Amino acid sequence: MVKLDRLITILGTYGARLAGSGADREAGLHSVALHDPVRPGSSAGDVFLAVGVPTLAEAVELARDAQALVLVARTTEAPQPAAGLAVLVVEPSVSWSQLAGAVYGLVLEGRETESGRGPADLSALADTIAAAVGGPVTIEDQLSRVMAYSSQQHEADRARQDTILGRRVPDPMRALLERQGVFTHLARSDEPLYVPASPEHGLHGRSVAAVRAGKEVLGSLWVVRTEPLDEARARILADGARTVALHLLRWRVSADLERQVESELVIQLLEGAPDAEAAAAKLGLPTAGLRVVAVQAHTDAERHAGLLLAFERATTGFGWSRVGRSTLFGNTVYTVLPAETDQARRWVRELEHGLPAHLRLVAGVSGECVVADLPAGRREADECLALQEKLGHPDALSYDESWHEVLLQRLRSVAAVGRVPARGPVTRLAAHDARHGTAYVPTLRAFLEAQGDLSHAATTLAVHQNTIRNRLRRIAAVLPEADLTDPAQRLAILIAMAVND
């Protein structure tokens, strides 16, 4: 269900101005009414679109007659508050088609999502098409990921079962379809294509039609049939593909609006905006127990494709159906989510699972934050991400567990710009080792890491304790200014060694 507050926020991105909401901003919106000049007062709805109404005063009266909670009017008149009614005024430069698409998309998608049917009820549509053409149906996006499938399983083959279980067409099957020119056909034609059986791939025959909006391919509609479709069924499949395109476009309108508003609010949180708590409330996030996850996705073929796919995947589904809120900022996808470290890592693994196998994903997870700490959380997540990429760690690194590595990485960065003494004792000792073939640096490090425990240091180096004592005396001769009994100097030497790793 879409609340009035969310509709006001999203239409604000179109330049809508609110004249003091007289309605409850937490009220749910379930229906839309469009002004009909031929039959005024013939429709009722929670949102009233005053198309073609000459004055704002008349639009307010019509909205009251329609029992609306919110009025959307396109006018240059100054809006006036109206009791019990939220009045939204939009500049005439914004087309009614844009406004109507946004309102219908948000309100109707919200109603369908609340009922558990999904943003466009594609599964019900798949069932309808399957019954008409006489075979199991799948609806896939442009990357061969399953968006919906029919419940009918008659004549279902192993390829269909593997596709549904994996939520995408298996790579060997996709390669076969590529070789057969299926994707080339979908890019060029709206006519259904029959794909012959391939028993070695577990594939029965099937027909496919492109789901297209203008020249853009949004996906494909598949039906399992052992023989090519007759003319009547082929026409049904083609018509079904056009219907699917309308559903996907309606879903895209709502999803794109959601992404735009969500992204702007998340950026406010990560940059420490003064009204950060209000932004968190709009996003449905708590004020504590938050973590920032930074994600980058790389592919050799296209520079930005992986990142865009990761952002699309992170924001798939309506905001209230997702645990996190995301934005694409620079070359990184940031997600703020209320979660423990393990839950955040699980979220990253689920994100990766939904991406093509050839993408390489790296991620970092911040420590636990309150809303005011999210800018620091973003820096922590960035540092953990960089550390994971450097170390090649198989899983996302968390600041809670890797803070010491992050600290050393910060020190290495400082050292890189010359802020650590370049001629300090560690550098001189390393030079001595290089000239004389000694092992004074690893000996001193083992001694310091063992906190002066000769037995532990000797075990680490696999030498006798007396060897450690002798080397320490010689190290003192090489570094007469270094006082190894001074705790501050011992700590500084150990840090310098770690920085130089």
Side-chain angles (χ1 to χ4, degrees), residues 100-355:
V103 172
Y104 274 103
L106 283 167
V107 175
L108 298 185
E109 302 298 1
R111 186 179 64 195
E112 293 181 357
T113 302
E114 183 187 26
S115 70
R117 294 162 54 197
D121 201 8
L122 287 178
S123 295
L125 180 58
D127 282 335
T128 301
I129 298 172
V133 296
V137 162
T138 55
I139 299 171
E140 300 170 9
D141 67 8
Q142 66 270 37
L143 295 175
S144 299
R145 296 177 297 196
V146 176
M147 304 183 73
Y149 57 91
S150 64
S151 56
Q152 177 183 341
Q153 299 298 329
H154 176 64
E155 294 186 357
D157 52 23
R158 178 166 55 84
R160 172 182 166 85
Q161 294 169 0
D162 291 344
T163 296
I164 291 174
L165 288 174
R167 302 302 297 172
R168 67 189 301 268
V169 176
D171 290 338
M173 177 63 59
R174 185 171 169 83
L176 172 67
L177 299 175
E178 185 76 49
R179 290 194 299 271
Q180 292 178 336
V182 173
F183 298 115
T184 300
H185 173 87
L186 294 177
R188 297 176 178 175
S189 175
D190 292 333
E191 293 299 318
L193 173 70
Y194 179 69
V195 180
S198 178
E200 64 272 23
H201 290 87
L203 177 71
H204 295 173
R206 60 192 62 202
S207 294
V208 59
V211 175
R212 191 189 313 276
K215 295 182 179 181
E216 181 185 0
V217 177
L218 302 178
S220 52
L221 175 62
W222 297 79
V223 56
V224 177
R225 296 278 296 185
T226 56
E227 70 283 340
L229 298 176
D230 57 35
E231 183 177 350
R233 286 190 172 91
R235 186 165 57 253
I236 291 172
L237 186 65
D239 290 342
R242 285 188 283 272
T243 304
V244 170
L246 292 176
H247 280 251
L248 293 184
L249 283 174
R250 199 176 80 185
W251 175 84
R252 177 183 282 186
V253 167
S254 299
D256 286 348
L257 286 168
E258 280 278 316
R259 286 189 178 108
Q260 178 182 345
V261 175
E262 177 179 316
S263 182
E264 292 172 355
L265 290 172
V266 172
I267 288 174
Q268 290 180 31
L269 294 180
L270 298 180
E271 292 186 337
D275 56 347
E277 289 198 4
K282 290 179 181 178
L283 290 167
L285 293 172
T287 56
L290 299 170
R291 293 181 189 273
V292 181
V293 180
V295 172
Q296 292 181 354
H298 306 287
T299 174
D300 295 333
E302 298 177 79
R303 183 178 179 185
H304 300 297
L307 192 63
L308 294 174
L309 285 174
F311 178 60
E312 180 183 354
R313 176 66 180 173
T315 53
T316 295
F318 283 75
W320 54 87
S321 68
R322 291 184 277 110
V323 64
R325 303 292 183 265
S326 303
T327 186
L328 178 57
F329 198 71
N331 66 341
T332 305
V333 175
Y334 294 100
T335 297
V336 179
L337 68 164
E340 297 297 328
T341 298
D342 289 343
Q343 293 172 313
R345 282 205 183 101
R346 185 161 57 249
W347 181 88
V348 172
R349 287 193 293 269
E350 290 172 355
L351 174 69
E352 187 172 21
H353 183 70
L355 296 173

Side-chain angles (χ1 to χ4, degrees), residues 58-69:
E58 184 179 350
V60 169
E61 292 305 314
L62 290 169
R64 294 191 190 284
D65 292 342
Q67 301 178 348
L69 296 175

Side-chain angles (χ1 to χ4, degrees), residues 88-103:
L88 282 169
V89 173
V90 187
E91 294 292 330
S93 59
V94 181
S95 71
W96 270 117
S97 61
Q98 288 180 312
L99 291 172
V103 172

